[in-house]
Amino acid sequence: KQELIGLLEQHKANGMNAIILQVRPAADAFYAKSREPWSQWLMGRQGLAPAAGYDPLAFAIKEAHSRGMELHAWFNPYRATMSANAVVSPDHMTRKRPDLFFVYGGKKQFDPGIPEVREYIVQVILDVVKGYDVDGIHFDDYFYPYKIAGQTINDAATFSKYGNGFANISDWRRNNVDMLIKQLDDSIHHYKKYVKFGVSPFGIWKNQSEDSQGSATNGLSNYSELYADSLKWVQEGWVDYINPQIYFSFTRRAAPFGVIADWWTNNALGKHVY
């Protein structure tokens, strides 16, 4: 509690008006009202509850609000384990429903192509929307995994079962992510219109070499490599804000900060860009 208060005090002193707090790193929870086990990053072992009556998310919301700051709950939607030798509790979804995951780079990840997976993730997030006074729901850029040389995403069987008429597996993967984003937009705002839903995708949507609407960059493309059509979410109004991860210097030739920041500003369609 003291550590969290110290962080909030520092942010308040620096003029911040919103906190984005990670609450679900790997199909686990930093909050009590969860269908998933307690996170190992609280007590050192997954499933082990913190001190009786302590709910880190409820505490963080109260302390942020008392300092005039919004609290946005940050979820990792698909990641289920952080390493090949992760020790998970018997109640973890990878134990209960191993059929909902694929392994890539030694890590288990929910398979976004399975309709039941999308439904489950929506319900996990609605537990927080309905159960806590959060001001926002936030995702970062982990959709389909970042490419690793020599590794293949093991979702061919899912594609053949739930192909939805798509001929191209890349388009199908993008549609799977789109469906989750749209479902969340609909579901969150059905319960609480005022709760903001935002995503911080990888900084580059597409390069100009792929699409004339893309940015004047030559880097990894969110659209092609992570199967995340981040611009579409803004265009369709499925997100309330976009928070692109532009982790590049102004002098980074392949992807200069200024070029990408301006590109997002020019493509924001009135949505907030952070």
Side-chain angles (χ1 to χ4, degrees):
K1 284 182 175 179
Q2 288 306 318
E3 186 180 5
L4 190 56
I5 285 171
L7 288 165
L8 295 176
E9 284 288 322
Q10 182 185 341
H11 289 315
K12 182 175 166 55
N14 287 333
M16 295 294 175
N17 63 3
I19 299 297
I20 298 180
L21 181 73
Q22 172 76 284
V23 299
R24 183 187 187 252
D28 52 6
F30 276 74
Y31 52 97
K33 298 172 189 170
S34 175
R35 61 190 68 206
E36 297 181 310
W38 283 104
S39 174
Q40 75 181 70
W41 286 282
L42 286 166
M43 300 296 288
R45 192 175 88 232
Q46 193 175 76
L48 192 60
Y54 178 48
D55 185 332
L57 177 55
F59 178 76
I61 291 167
K62 179 165 105 13
E63 294 296 328
H65 286 174
S66 75
R67 289 168 177 79
M69 293 187 283
E70 293 185 4
L71 195 291
H72 296 222
W74 166 10
F75 294 79
N76 192 302
Y78 293 122
R79 185 172 61 201
T81 61
M82 302 283 278
S83 66
N85 53 5
V87 179
V88 298
S89 89
D91 295 326
H92 197 251
M93 277 298 274
T94 54
R95 291 274 188 90
K96 294 199 288 193
R97 290 294 306 279
D99 54 309
L100 299 181
F101 301 87
F102 59 69
V103 178
Y104 189 88
K107 301 174 184 177
K108 287 184 182 169
Q109 168 169 332
F110 283 95
D111 185 340
I114 302 174
E116 189 182 346
V117 162
R118 295 192 294 272
E119 187 56 41
Y120 175 77
I121 292 168
V122 169
Q123 294 306 323
V124 164
I125 289 166
L126 287 181
D127 289 341
V128 169
V129 171
K130 292 191 266 190
Y132 294 89
D133 188 18
V134 291
D135 302 286
I137 298 295
H138 184 81
F139 280 175
D140 65 4
D141 65 328
Y142 291 104
F143 295 103
Y144 278 87
Y146 279 85
K147 281 187 181 153
I148 300 170
Q151 297 260 333
T152 308
I153 297 173
N154 185 16
D155 62 352
T158 310
F159 180 45
S160 68
K161 188 173 180 183
Y162 301 110
N164 283 336
F166 280 91
N168 181 308
I169 197 167
S170 297
D171 291 337
W172 171 76
R173 287 173 182 161
R174 274 185 288 271
N175 186 61
N176 294 332
V177 177
D178 286 348
M179 283 194 288
L180 178 72
I181 299 291
K182 183 180 188 316
Q183 262 182 278
L184 278 166
D185 172 46
D186 291 343
S187 302
I188 292 163
H189 296 128
H190 172 77
Y191 288 99
K192 293 183 178 175
K193 287 266 186 286
Y194 63 88
V195 169
K196 300 185 212 20
F197 175 43
V199 181
S200 59
F202 183 77
I204 298 169
W205 168 65
K206 285 186 192 177
N207 299 292
Q208 252 171 16
S209 57
E210 301 169 79
D211 187 320
S212 60
Q213 200 184 347
S215 50
T217 51
N218 295 292
L220 182 145
S221 154
N222 203 15
Y223 181 93
S224 303
E225 305 210 27
L226 300 179
Y227 308 101
D229 192 352
S230 45
L231 181 61
K232 182 179 181 178
W233 311 334
V234 173
Q235 291 170 332
E236 297 288 348
W238 296 339
V239 291
D240 297 305
Y241 68 84
I242 198 96
N243 188 8
Q245 296 185 17
I246 314 176
Y247 298 152
F248 316 113
S249 67
F250 283 86
T251 54
R252 176 81 165 266
R253 192 171 297 164
F257 181 94
V259 168
I260 307 176
D262 287 348
W263 184 89
W264 275 108
T265 304
N266 294 332
N267 286 279
L269 300 173
K271 296 290 183 188
H272 288 263
V273 178
Y274 300 116

